[in-house]
């Protein structure tokens, strides 16, 4: 179901972080089906409510979507998708702000400072 990626953790926060790490690294691709809550709980040796809390946290963060008996899967564009895999091209003439750094040519001289 998840290929080589293994979800880990004993607490809901750890399980949620493990899934987010998998999504962020690209190991869990958009649309990947997550294991049912009871199955994952049995694998991890935790209470099913713990996995339910982790899935609820992931859903609130926009990482996964749940569809009742059809299961839970990674969203098509999860909040933690690596920027490189989103492939959103900037329109012509737009400045690329994705790096978070301004163009050094646009900064004032810092000599007096």
């Amino acid at each position: 179901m998840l290929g080589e990626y293994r979800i880990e953790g004993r607490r809901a926060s750890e399980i949620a972080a493990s899934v987010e790490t998998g999504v962020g690294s690209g190991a869990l691709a958009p649309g990947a089906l997550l294991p049912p809550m009871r199955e994952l709980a049995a694998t991890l040796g935790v209470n099913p409510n713990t996995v339910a809390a982790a899935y609820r946290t992931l859903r609130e963060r926009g990482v996964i979507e749940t569809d009742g008996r059809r299961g839970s899967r990674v969203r098509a564009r999860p909040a933690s998708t690596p920027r490189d895999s989103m492939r959103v091209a900037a329109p012509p003439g737009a400045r690329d702000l994705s790096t978070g750094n301004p163009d050094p040519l646009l900064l004032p001289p810092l000599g007096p400072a």
Side-chain angles (χ1 to χ4, degrees):
M1 189 176 310
L2 297 177
E4 296 293 318
Y5 191 75
R6 180 177 159 90
I7 298 173
E8 298 177 341
R10 301 277 307 150
R11 298 186 329 223
S13 60
E14 294 170 350
I15 296 167
S18 177
V19 172
E20 281 187 296
T21 300
V23 171
S25 69
L28 290 175
L33 187 63
L34 297 176
M37 287 185 240
R38 291 183 191 272
E39 181 182 315
L40 182 58
T43 301
L44 298 176
V46 298
N47 189 301
N49 292 335
T50 303
V51 177
Y55 279 17
R56 183 173 46 254
T57 299
L58 290 165
R59 188 179 63 244
E60 289 169 356
R61 290 184 183 167
V63 178
I64 68 169
E65 56 191 10
T66 55
D67 193 15
R69 296 224 176 255
R70 293 187 184 127
S72 301
R73 48 182 79 244
V74 177
R75 289 186 59 192
R77 292 194 56 176
S80 53
T81 300
R83 185 180 302 273
D84 297 342
S85 67
M86 291 173 74
R87 295 186 186 134
V88 177
R95 295 192 187 274
D96 181 11
L97 302 176
S98 65
T99 63
N101 296 317
D103 185 344
L105 298 175
L106 298 175
L107 296 175
L110 298 176

